Amino acid sequence: MKEITLIIAGPRGNMGKEAVKLAEQTPHFKLLAVVDTKNEGKRLRDISDMPALDIPVYTDLEKCFTEQKPDVLIDLTSPESGRVHLELALDYGVRPVIGTTGFSQEDIERLRAKAEEKEVGAIIAPNFAIGAILMMKFAQTAARYMPDVEILEMHHDKKLDAPSGTAQKTAQLISEVREAKKQGHPEETEDLPGARGAEVEGMRIHSIRLPGLVAHQEVLFGGPGQTLTIRHDSINRASFMPGVRLSVETVLSLKTLVYGLEHIID
Ligand SMILES: NC(=O)C1=CN([C@@H]2O[C@H](COP(=O)(O)OP(=O)(O)OC[C@H]3O[C@@H](n4cnc5c(N)ncnc54)[C@H](O)[C@@H]3O)[C@@H](O)[C@H]2O)C=CC1
Ligand SMILES: O=C(O)C1=N[C@H](C(=O)O)C[C@H](O)C1
C-alpha cells in the first residue's frame, strides 16, 4: 500500500495518544510531526508519557504544514481548535480527518463548500466506532416505525461539548426519516429549566457526565404498549481506531467533505 504521511493535532489527549499508537503500528502510515499547545521545538520522545518517536512537536499548525507537507491531518483537539485546523488544512491542501466534535450544521455546510472549491477531501466523523455507526443506522431505521424517540448520551466528565457529536448526528439521521414532532404531553411544563433536555425537531437529547464513563448512548423509542432501546458502549478509546484508519485511507480519494462514517461504511 502507498505510504500516507500524517500530522496529529492533540497528541497528549485521550484520543491523540491512541492515534499516535495507531500511526506507529500501521505499516503504511508515517507520522511526520505532532501539533500540541506547548512543547514547541521538542521531539515527541522528550515529552513524558509519549512514545519514543524522534519527530518534531509544533505549536503552530501553519509552520508545521509548510515544513512537513503531510498528506493528512488528524485532529483530536477541542471544538474551537478543530474548526480553525480544518480551515487551515483546506487552505494548505492537506486532507483533514476531524474526530473533534462541536461542529454546527452551518459550520459543516460552509466547510463543505470550501472543500469542494479547493477540491480537497475532508472527513468530520462525530464517532469513529463501528458499533456507534451501526447504532445510529439502526436508530434511523427504527424511527421510521416508532417516531417517538429520546436520546440519552453518557460521557466522562472531562468532555467539553454537550450534547455529544454522536447524539447530534443521531438526531440528524432520525430527522431525515421522520416529520418534526412535538413529543410528550402537549401542555407539559419544565418546572426546572433543562429537565426535558435539549430539543431537535421535537426530539429530546439528555447529556450525562460522570467520572468512570467513557462514551455511551441509548436511543429510546416508545409506542403503544412497547419500548425499544438501542445502546452502544465504547469502553475504551481503542474502539475508535479502526474508524480513524479507514478515514485516513479514504480521505485521499475524496473531493468533498464527508460528515459521518455512515457515508463510507455501507
Ligand atoms: N470522533 C470520535 O470518535 C471521537 C471524538 N472525540 C472528540 O475528540 C476530541 C478530543 O477528545 P479527547 O482526546 O477525549 O480530549 P482530551 O482533552 O483528552 O485531548 C485534547 C487534546 O488536544 C489538545 N489541544 C487543544 N487545543 C489544541 C490545539 N490548538 N493544538 C494542539 N493541541 C490542542 C489538548 O492540549 C489535549 O491534549 C473531543 O472533541 C472529543 O469530543 C473523542 C472520542 C471519540
Ligand atoms: O468526547 C468523547 O469522549 C467522545 N466524543 C464524541 C462525541 O461527542 O460524540 C464521540 C464519542 O462519543 C466520544
Side-chain angles (χ1 to χ4, degrees), residues 170-233:
T170 309
Q172 185 214 309
L173 290 173
I174 291 174
S175 10
E176 285 171 15
V177 298
R178 73 159 216 175
E179 295 292 314
K181 178 178 198 305
K182 180 163 172 22
Q183 294 183 192
H185 195 287
E187 286 157 29
E188 75 180 12
T189 58
E190 249 190 351
D191 302 332
L192 275 180
R196 290 287 287 121
E199 197 204 310
V200 180
E201 297 196 354
M203 250 174 287
R204 298 291 173 161
I205 304 181
H206 310 270
S207 297
I208 290 173
R209 299 289 177 262
L210 282 174
L213 293 172
V214 179
H216 318 262
Q217 181 167 295
E218 286 186 4
V219 190
L220 293 98
F221 297 87
Q226 58 182 325
T227 64
L228 168 68
T229 303
I230 302 174
R231 179 175 173 120
H232 176 259
D233 298 274

Short mmCIF file of all heavy atoms in Angstrom, two decimals, residues 170-233:
data_model
loop_
_atom_site.label_atom_id
_atom_site.label_comp_id
_atom_site.label_asym_id
_atom_site.label_seq_id
_atom_site.Cartn_x
_atom_site.Cartn_y
_atom_site.Cartn_z
N THR A 170 -27.06 11.53 15.47
CA THR A 170 -28.19 10.59 15.56
C THR A 170 -29.50 11.34 15.32
O THR A 170 -30.36 10.89 14.55
CB THR A 170 -28.22 9.91 16.95
OG1 THR A 170 -26.95 9.37 17.24
CG2 THR A 170 -29.28 8.82 17.01
N ALA A 171 -29.63 12.51 15.95
CA ALA A 171 -30.86 13.30 15.78
C ALA A 171 -31.02 13.71 14.32
O ALA A 171 -32.12 13.67 13.76
CB ALA A 171 -30.81 14.52 16.68
N GLN A 172 -29.90 14.08 13.68
CA GLN A 172 -29.97 14.48 12.27
C GLN A 172 -30.44 13.31 11.39
O GLN A 172 -31.32 13.47 10.53
CB GLN A 172 -28.60 14.96 11.82
CG GLN A 172 -28.61 15.51 10.39
CD GLN A 172 -27.33 15.22 9.65
OE1 GLN A 172 -26.24 15.49 10.14
NE2 GLN A 172 -27.43 14.67 8.45
N LEU A 173 -29.88 12.13 11.65
CA LEU A 173 -30.25 10.96 10.84
C LEU A 173 -31.73 10.61 11.04
O LEU A 173 -32.43 10.25 10.09
CB LEU A 173 -29.36 9.76 11.19
CG LEU A 173 -27.90 9.89 10.72
CD1 LEU A 173 -27.06 8.73 11.26
CD2 LEU A 173 -27.81 9.92 9.20
N ILE A 174 -32.18 10.74 12.29
CA ILE A 174 -33.60 10.44 12.56
C ILE A 174 -34.49 11.49 11.88
O ILE A 174 -35.51 11.15 11.28
CB ILE A 174 -33.85 10.36 14.09
CG1 ILE A 174 -33.16 9.10 14.64
CG2 ILE A 174 -35.35 10.35 14.40
CD1 ILE A 174 -33.20 8.96 16.14
N SER A 175 -34.06 12.78 11.94
CA SER A 175 -34.94 13.80 11.31
C SER A 175 -35.04 13.63 9.80
O SER A 175 -35.99 14.13 9.19
CB SER A 175 -34.55 15.24 11.62
OG SER A 175 -33.36 15.35 12.24
N GLU A 176 -34.07 12.92 9.20
CA GLU A 176 -34.18 12.67 7.75
C GLU A 176 -35.34 11.74 7.41
O GLU A 176 -35.80 11.70 6.27
CB GLU A 176 -32.87 12.04 7.23
CG GLU A 176 -31.74 13.04 7.11
CD GLU A 176 -30.40 12.38 6.79
OE1 GLU A 176 -30.37 11.19 6.40
OE2 GLU A 176 -29.38 13.06 6.97
N VAL A 177 -35.79 10.93 8.39
CA VAL A 177 -36.82 9.94 8.05
C VAL A 177 -38.14 10.16 8.80
O VAL A 177 -39.08 9.40 8.62
CB VAL A 177 -36.34 8.49 8.36
CG1 VAL A 177 -35.13 8.13 7.52
CG2 VAL A 177 -36.05 8.28 9.85
N ARG A 178 -38.21 11.17 9.67
CA ARG A 178 -39.50 11.40 10.34
C ARG A 178 -39.85 12.88 10.28
O ARG A 178 -38.96 13.73 10.20
CB ARG A 178 -39.49 10.88 11.78
CG ARG A 178 -38.68 11.72 12.73
CD ARG A 178 -39.05 11.54 14.21
NE ARG A 178 -38.92 12.86 14.83
CZ ARG A 178 -39.22 13.14 16.06
NH1 ARG A 178 -39.70 12.20 16.87
NH2 ARG A 178 -39.08 14.36 16.55
N GLU A 179 -41.15 13.16 10.29
CA GLU A 179 -41.62 14.54 10.33
C GLU A 179 -41.27 15.10 11.70
O GLU A 179 -41.30 14.36 12.69
CB GLU A 179 -43.15 14.57 10.20
CG GLU A 179 -43.68 14.08 8.87
CD GLU A 179 -43.31 15.03 7.74
OE1 GLU A 179 -43.48 16.25 7.89
OE2 GLU A 179 -42.84 14.52 6.69
N ALA A 180 -40.98 16.42 11.77
CA ALA A 180 -40.79 17.06 13.08
C ALA A 180 -42.03 16.77 13.92
O ALA A 180 -43.14 16.77 13.41
CB ALA A 180 -40.60 18.55 12.91
N LYS A 181 -41.84 16.50 15.22
CA LYS A 181 -42.97 16.00 16.01
C LYS A 181 -42.76 16.44 17.45
O LYS A 181 -41.70 16.11 18.03
CB LYS A 181 -42.93 14.47 15.92
CG LYS A 181 -43.98 13.73 16.69
CD LYS A 181 -43.81 12.22 16.43
CE LYS A 181 -45.03 11.42 16.79
NZ LYS A 181 -45.53 11.55 18.13
N LYS A 182 -43.69 17.20 18.01
CA LYS A 182 -43.54 17.56 19.42
C LYS A 182 -43.88 16.34 20.26
O LYS A 182 -44.92 15.73 20.07
CB LYS A 182 -44.47 18.73 19.76
CG LYS A 182 -44.36 19.16 21.21
CD LYS A 182 -44.93 20.52 21.48
CE LYS A 182 -45.02 20.90 22.96
NZ LYS A 182 -44.18 20.23 23.90
N GLN A 183 -42.98 16.00 21.15
CA GLN A 183 -43.19 14.78 21.96
C GLN A 183 -43.58 15.12 23.39
O GLN A 183 -43.36 16.23 23.85
CB GLN A 183 -41.91 13.95 21.95
CG GLN A 183 -41.59 13.42 20.57
CD GLN A 183 -40.36 12.54 20.53
OE1 GLN A 183 -39.87 12.24 19.47
NE2 GLN A 183 -39.85 12.12 21.68
N GLY A 184 -44.13 14.14 24.08
CA GLY A 184 -44.57 14.36 25.45
C GLY A 184 -45.96 14.97 25.45
O GLY A 184 -46.61 15.11 24.40
N HIS A 185 -46.41 15.39 26.62
CA HIS A 185 -47.76 15.98 26.74
C HIS A 185 -47.76 17.36 26.08
O HIS A 185 -46.84 18.14 26.29
CB HIS A 185 -48.13 16.10 28.22
CG HIS A 185 -49.59 16.36 28.42
ND1 HIS A 185 -50.17 17.58 28.13
CD2 HIS A 185 -50.57 15.55 28.85
CE1 HIS A 185 -51.46 17.52 28.39
NE2 HIS A 185 -51.74 16.27 28.82
N PRO A 186 -48.79 17.67 25.27
CA PRO A 186 -48.81 18.97 24.59
C PRO A 186 -48.74 20.15 25.56
O PRO A 186 -48.28 21.23 25.21
CB PRO A 186 -50.14 18.98 23.83
CG PRO A 186 -50.72 17.61 23.96
CD PRO A 186 -49.92 16.81 24.95
N GLU A 187 -49.18 19.94 26.80
CA GLU A 187 -49.16 21.05 27.76
C GLU A 187 -48.10 20.85 28.83
O GLU A 187 -48.18 21.44 29.91
CB GLU A 187 -50.54 21.21 28.40
CG GLU A 187 -51.53 21.83 27.44
CD GLU A 187 -52.98 21.49 27.80
OE1 GLU A 187 -53.25 21.28 29.01
OE2 GLU A 187 -53.79 21.40 26.87
N GLU A 188 -47.12 20.02 28.58
CA GLU A 188 -46.12 19.77 29.64
C GLU A 188 -45.35 21.05 29.95
O GLU A 188 -45.16 21.90 29.10
CB GLU A 188 -45.14 18.65 29.23
CG GLU A 188 -44.13 19.05 28.21
CD GLU A 188 -43.17 17.90 27.81
OE1 GLU A 188 -43.41 16.73 28.15
OE2 GLU A 188 -42.18 18.23 27.14
N THR A 189 -44.92 21.17 31.22
CA THR A 189 -44.13 22.33 31.63
C THR A 189 -42.78 21.83 32.13
O THR A 189 -42.67 20.68 32.58
CB THR A 189 -44.83 23.12 32.77
OG1 THR A 189 -45.01 22.21 33.86
CG2 THR A 189 -46.16 23.68 32.32
N GLU A 190 -41.80 22.72 32.07
CA GLU A 190 -40.48 22.39 32.63
C GLU A 190 -40.34 23.17 33.91
O GLU A 190 -40.03 24.35 33.90
CB GLU A 190 -39.40 22.84 31.63
CG GLU A 190 -38.69 21.72 30.98
CD GLU A 190 -37.48 22.16 30.18
OE1 GLU A 190 -37.26 23.36 29.99
OE2 GLU A 190 -36.76 21.26 29.77
N ASP A 191 -40.57 22.53 35.03
CA ASP A 191 -40.56 23.27 36.29
C ASP A 191 -39.14 23.57 36.75
O ASP A 191 -38.91 24.52 37.49
CB ASP A 191 -41.37 22.50 37.34
CG ASP A 191 -42.81 22.29 36.83
OD1 ASP A 191 -43.26 23.15 36.04
OD2 ASP A 191 -43.44 21.27 37.17
N LEU A 192 -38.20 22.77 36.32
CA LEU A 192 -36.77 23.09 36.46
C LEU A 192 -36.22 23.19 35.05
O LEU A 192 -36.31 22.21 34.29
CB LEU A 192 -36.03 21.96 37.19
CG LEU A 192 -36.02 21.95 38.70
CD1 LEU A 192 -35.23 20.75 39.20
CD2 LEU A 192 -35.45 23.23 39.25
N PRO A 193 -35.66 24.38 34.65
CA PRO A 193 -35.18 24.53 33.27
C PRO A 193 -34.18 23.42 32.92
O PRO A 193 -33.30 23.10 33.72
CB PRO A 193 -34.50 25.91 33.26
CG PRO A 193 -35.07 26.62 34.44
CD PRO A 193 -35.45 25.59 35.46
N GLY A 194 -34.34 22.83 31.76
CA GLY A 194 -33.43 21.77 31.31
C GLY A 194 -33.92 20.38 31.62
O GLY A 194 -33.34 19.39 31.15
N ALA A 195 -35.01 20.27 32.40
CA ALA A 195 -35.47 18.95 32.83
C ALA A 195 -35.79 18.04 31.64
O ALA A 195 -35.56 16.84 31.69
CB ALA A 195 -36.70 19.09 33.73
N ARG A 196 -36.27 18.64 30.56
CA ARG A 196 -36.65 17.82 29.38
C ARG A 196 -35.52 17.71 28.36
O ARG A 196 -35.71 17.17 27.29
CB ARG A 196 -37.92 18.37 28.74
CG ARG A 196 -39.16 18.17 29.56
CD ARG A 196 -39.62 16.70 29.57
NE ARG A 196 -40.19 16.30 28.30
CZ ARG A 196 -39.73 15.31 27.54
NH1 ARG A 196 -38.65 14.63 27.90
NH2 ARG A 196 -40.32 15.02 26.40
N GLY A 197 -34.34 18.27 28.70
CA GLY A 197 -33.18 18.13 27.81
C GLY A 197 -33.21 19.11 26.65
O GLY A 197 -34.06 20.00 26.59
N ALA A 198 -32.25 18.92 25.71
CA ALA A 198 -32.20 19.79 24.53
C ALA A 198 -33.20 19.27 23.51
O ALA A 198 -33.58 18.11 23.55
CB ALA A 198 -30.80 19.73 23.94
N GLU A 199 -33.64 20.17 22.60
CA GLU A 199 -34.67 19.76 21.64
C GLU A 199 -34.17 19.89 20.19
O GLU A 199 -33.58 20.91 19.83
CB GLU A 199 -35.89 20.66 21.80
CG GLU A 199 -37.09 20.04 21.15
CD GLU A 199 -38.15 21.05 20.77
OE1 GLU A 199 -38.51 21.88 21.59
OE2 GLU A 199 -38.58 20.98 19.60
N VAL A 200 -34.35 18.86 19.42
CA VAL A 200 -34.08 18.90 17.97
C VAL A 200 -35.34 18.39 17.28
O VAL A 200 -35.67 17.21 17.37
CB VAL A 200 -32.89 18.00 17.57
CG1 VAL A 200 -32.64 18.06 16.06
CG2 VAL A 200 -31.64 18.34 18.34
N GLU A 201 -36.05 19.30 16.63
CA GLU A 201 -37.30 18.94 15.92
C GLU A 201 -38.23 18.08 16.77
O GLU A 201 -38.77 17.09 16.30
CB GLU A 201 -36.96 18.24 14.60
CG GLU A 201 -36.19 19.15 13.65
CD GLU A 201 -36.17 18.66 12.22
OE1 GLU A 201 -36.65 17.54 11.95
OE2 GLU A 201 -35.66 19.41 11.36
N GLY A 202 -38.34 18.45 18.04
CA GLY A 202 -39.27 17.75 18.93
C GLY A 202 -38.64 16.56 19.65
O GLY A 202 -39.19 16.03 20.61
N MET A 203 -37.47 16.12 19.17
CA MET A 203 -36.74 15.02 19.86
C MET A 203 -35.99 15.60 21.04
O MET A 203 -35.51 16.72 20.96
CB MET A 203 -35.67 14.48 18.91
CG MET A 203 -35.88 13.14 18.36
SD MET A 203 -34.56 12.86 17.14
CE MET A 203 -35.02 13.89 15.78
N ARG A 204 -35.82 14.82 22.08
CA ARG A 204 -35.09 15.31 23.25
C ARG A 204 -33.74 14.61 23.37
O ARG A 204 -33.66 13.39 23.15
CB ARG A 204 -35.91 15.07 24.52
CG ARG A 204 -37.24 15.81 24.52
CD ARG A 204 -37.00 17.31 24.63
NE ARG A 204 -38.25 18.06 24.47
CZ ARG A 204 -38.39 19.32 24.89
NH1 ARG A 204 -37.39 19.96 25.46
NH2 ARG A 204 -39.53 19.94 24.71
N ILE A 205 -32.72 15.37 23.71
CA ILE A 205 -31.39 14.80 23.94
C ILE A 205 -30.99 15.12 25.37
O ILE A 205 -31.04 16.28 25.80
CB ILE A 205 -30.33 15.39 22.98
CG1 ILE A 205 -30.75 15.21 21.52
CG2 ILE A 205 -28.97 14.76 23.24
CD1 ILE A 205 -29.75 15.75 20.50
N HIS A 206 -30.59 14.09 26.10
CA HIS A 206 -30.19 14.25 27.50
C HIS A 206 -28.71 13.89 27.63
O HIS A 206 -28.28 12.83 27.14
CB HIS A 206 -31.02 13.34 28.40
CG HIS A 206 -32.50 13.46 28.14
ND1 HIS A 206 -33.31 14.36 28.79
CD2 HIS A 206 -33.31 12.80 27.26
CE1 HIS A 206 -34.56 14.25 28.33
NE2 HIS A 206 -34.58 13.31 27.41
N SER A 207 -27.93 14.74 28.30
CA SER A 207 -26.48 14.53 28.40
C SER A 207 -26.10 14.26 29.85
O SER A 207 -26.40 15.08 30.73
CB SER A 207 -25.73 15.76 27.92
OG SER A 207 -26.00 15.99 26.55
N ILE A 208 -25.42 13.14 30.07
CA ILE A 208 -24.95 12.78 31.41
C ILE A 208 -23.43 12.84 31.40
O ILE A 208 -22.80 12.40 30.45
CB ILE A 208 -25.45 11.36 31.75
CG1 ILE A 208 -26.97 11.42 31.97
CG2 ILE A 208 -24.74 10.78 32.98
CD1 ILE A 208 -27.61 10.08 32.17
N ARG A 209 -22.82 13.41 32.43
CA ARG A 209 -21.36 13.47 32.55
C ARG A 209 -20.97 12.93 33.92
O ARG A 209 -21.36 13.48 34.95
CB ARG A 209 -20.87 14.93 32.43
CG ARG A 209 -21.21 15.58 31.10
CD ARG A 209 -20.38 15.01 29.95
NE ARG A 209 -20.74 15.59 28.66
CZ ARG A 209 -21.56 15.02 27.79
NH1 ARG A 209 -22.15 13.87 28.06
NH2 ARG A 209 -21.83 15.59 26.63
N LEU A 210 -20.17 11.86 33.92
CA LEU A 210 -19.75 11.25 35.19
C LEU A 210 -18.35 10.67 35.06
O LEU A 210 -18.01 10.10 34.02
CB LEU A 210 -20.69 10.08 35.56
CG LEU A 210 -22.05 10.39 36.14
CD1 LEU A 210 -22.86 9.11 36.28
CD2 LEU A 210 -21.93 11.08 37.50
N PRO A 211 -17.53 10.79 36.13
CA PRO A 211 -16.27 10.06 36.09
C PRO A 211 -16.57 8.57 35.99
O PRO A 211 -17.61 8.11 36.48
CB PRO A 211 -15.61 10.39 37.44
CG PRO A 211 -16.66 11.02 38.28
CD PRO A 211 -17.77 11.50 37.39
N GLY A 212 -15.70 7.83 35.33
CA GLY A 212 -15.93 6.39 35.21
C GLY A 212 -16.54 6.02 33.87
O GLY A 212 -16.34 4.91 33.39
N LEU A 213 -17.29 6.97 33.28
CA LEU A 213 -17.85 6.68 31.95
C LEU A 213 -16.81 6.94 30.87
O LEU A 213 -15.88 7.72 31.09
CB LEU A 213 -19.06 7.59 31.68
CG LEU A 213 -20.31 7.36 32.55
CD1 LEU A 213 -21.34 8.45 32.29
CD2 LEU A 213 -20.92 5.99 32.25
N VAL A 214 -16.96 6.30 29.70
CA VAL A 214 -16.12 6.63 28.53
C VAL A 214 -17.06 7.30 27.52
O VAL A 214 -17.19 8.53 27.52
CB VAL A 214 -15.41 5.38 27.96
CG1 VAL A 214 -14.57 5.77 26.73
CG2 VAL A 214 -14.50 4.75 29.01
N ALA A 215 -17.77 6.51 26.70
CA ALA A 215 -18.70 7.09 25.70
C ALA A 215 -19.82 6.08 25.46
O ALA A 215 -19.56 4.97 25.01
CB ALA A 215 -17.96 7.38 24.41
N HIS A 216 -21.04 6.48 25.77
CA HIS A 216 -22.17 5.55 25.74
C HIS A 216 -23.40 6.31 25.21
O HIS A 216 -23.53 7.51 25.47
CB HIS A 216 -22.49 5.04 27.15
CG HIS A 216 -21.24 4.71 27.93
ND1 HIS A 216 -20.77 3.43 28.04
CD2 HIS A 216 -20.37 5.50 28.59
CE1 HIS A 216 -19.65 3.45 28.75
NE2 HIS A 216 -19.38 4.69 29.09
N GLN A 217 -24.27 5.60 24.52
CA GLN A 217 -25.51 6.25 24.08
C GLN A 217 -26.64 5.24 24.00
O GLN A 217 -26.44 4.11 23.55
CB GLN A 217 -25.32 6.90 22.71
CG GLN A 217 -26.59 7.60 22.22
CD GLN A 217 -26.36 8.51 21.04
OE1 GLN A 217 -25.66 9.52 21.14
NE2 GLN A 217 -26.95 8.18 19.90
N GLU A 218 -27.81 5.69 24.48
CA GLU A 218 -29.03 4.91 24.30
C GLU A 218 -30.00 5.73 23.45
O GLU A 218 -30.16 6.92 23.69
CB GLU A 218 -29.70 4.60 25.64
CG GLU A 218 -28.98 3.56 26.42
CD GLU A 218 -29.71 3.15 27.70
OE1 GLU A 218 -30.84 3.63 27.95
OE2 GLU A 218 -29.13 2.36 28.45
N VAL A 219 -30.63 5.08 22.49
CA VAL A 219 -31.71 5.72 21.74
C VAL A 219 -32.97 4.95 22.13
O VAL A 219 -33.07 3.74 21.89
CB VAL A 219 -31.45 5.68 20.22
CG1 VAL A 219 -32.45 6.56 19.50
CG2 VAL A 219 -30.03 6.09 19.89
N LEU A 220 -33.89 5.66 22.78
CA LEU A 220 -35.09 5.01 23.33
C LEU A 220 -36.30 5.37 22.49
O LEU A 220 -36.58 6.55 22.28
CB LEU A 220 -35.34 5.49 24.75
CG LEU A 220 -34.33 5.08 25.80
CD1 LEU A 220 -33.33 6.20 26.03
CD2 LEU A 220 -35.03 4.77 27.10
N PHE A 221 -36.99 4.36 22.02
CA PHE A 221 -38.20 4.54 21.23
C PHE A 221 -39.39 4.06 22.06
O PHE A 221 -39.28 3.07 22.80
CB PHE A 221 -38.14 3.72 19.94
CG PHE A 221 -37.03 4.14 19.03
CD1 PHE A 221 -35.76 3.60 19.16
CD2 PHE A 221 -37.26 5.09 18.05
CE1 PHE A 221 -34.73 4.01 18.33
CE2 PHE A 221 -36.24 5.51 17.21
CZ PHE A 221 -34.97 4.96 17.35
N GLY A 222 -40.54 4.74 21.89
CA GLY A 222 -41.74 4.30 22.60
C GLY A 222 -42.92 4.27 21.66
O GLY A 222 -43.06 5.15 20.79
N GLY A 223 -43.76 3.26 21.80
CA GLY A 223 -45.01 3.17 21.04
C GLY A 223 -46.05 2.57 21.98
O GLY A 223 -45.69 2.12 23.08
N PRO A 224 -47.30 2.50 21.54
CA PRO A 224 -48.32 1.96 22.42
C PRO A 224 -47.94 0.57 22.93
O PRO A 224 -47.71 -0.34 22.13
CB PRO A 224 -49.58 1.90 21.54
CG PRO A 224 -49.31 2.89 20.44
CD PRO A 224 -47.83 2.91 20.24
N GLY A 225 -47.78 0.44 24.23
CA GLY A 225 -47.54 -0.87 24.85
C GLY A 225 -46.15 -1.42 24.65
O GLY A 225 -45.89 -2.58 24.98
N GLN A 226 -45.21 -0.64 24.10
CA GLN A 226 -43.86 -1.20 23.91
C GLN A 226 -42.79 -0.11 23.86
O GLN A 226 -43.07 1.04 23.53
CB GLN A 226 -43.80 -2.03 22.62
CG GLN A 226 -44.16 -1.25 21.38
CD GLN A 226 -44.12 -2.12 20.13
OE1 GLN A 226 -43.30 -3.01 20.00
NE2 GLN A 226 -45.05 -1.85 19.21
N THR A 227 -41.57 -0.50 24.21
CA THR A 227 -40.41 0.38 24.03
C THR A 227 -39.32 -0.42 23.35
O THR A 227 -39.31 -1.66 23.38
CB THR A 227 -39.86 0.90 25.38
OG1 THR A 227 -39.38 -0.20 26.15
CG2 THR A 227 -40.90 1.67 26.16
N LEU A 228 -38.41 0.31 22.72
CA LEU A 228 -37.24 -0.30 22.09
C LEU A 228 -36.04 0.55 22.48
O LEU A 228 -36.09 1.78 22.36
CB LEU A 228 -37.41 -0.29 20.57
CG LEU A 228 -36.16 -0.64 19.75
CD1 LEU A 228 -35.76 -2.10 19.93
CD2 LEU A 228 -36.40 -0.35 18.26
N THR A 229 -34.97 -0.11 22.96
CA THR A 229 -33.76 0.63 23.32
C THR A 229 -32.60 0.12 22.48
O THR A 229 -32.35 -1.09 22.44
CB THR A 229 -33.43 0.44 24.82
OG1 THR A 229 -34.55 0.85 25.59
CG2 THR A 229 -32.20 1.26 25.22
N ILE A 230 -31.90 1.04 21.82
CA ILE A 230 -30.70 0.68 21.06
C ILE A 230 -29.54 1.34 21.78
O ILE A 230 -29.55 2.56 22.01
CB ILE A 230 -30.80 1.18 19.60
CG1 ILE A 230 -32.04 0.58 18.94
CG2 ILE A 230 -29.54 0.81 18.81
CD1 ILE A 230 -32.33 1.11 17.55
N ARG A 231 -28.56 0.54 22.19
CA ARG A 231 -27.49 1.08 23.04
C ARG A 231 -26.12 0.72 22.47
O ARG A 231 -25.90 -0.38 21.97
CB ARG A 231 -27.61 0.49 24.45
CG ARG A 231 -26.50 0.99 25.37
CD ARG A 231 -26.64 0.54 26.81
NE ARG A 231 -25.44 0.94 27.53
CZ ARG A 231 -25.41 1.75 28.58
NH1 ARG A 231 -26.53 2.23 29.08
NH2 ARG A 231 -24.25 2.08 29.16
N HIS A 232 -25.22 1.68 22.56
CA HIS A 232 -23.81 1.41 22.21
C HIS A 232 -22.91 1.89 23.34
O HIS A 232 -23.15 2.91 23.96
CB HIS A 232 -23.42 2.13 20.92
CG HIS A 232 -21.97 1.95 20.59
ND1 HIS A 232 -21.01 2.92 20.85
CD2 HIS A 232 -21.30 0.89 20.08
CE1 HIS A 232 -19.83 2.46 20.48
NE2 HIS A 232 -19.97 1.24 20.02
N ASP A 233 -21.84 1.12 23.61
CA ASP A 233 -20.85 1.49 24.63
C ASP A 233 -19.46 1.41 24.03
O ASP A 233 -19.08 0.36 23.51
CB ASP A 233 -20.90 0.51 25.81
CG ASP A 233 -22.24 0.53 26.51
OD1 ASP A 233 -22.42 1.39 27.40
OD2 ASP A 233 -23.11 -0.28 26.15
#
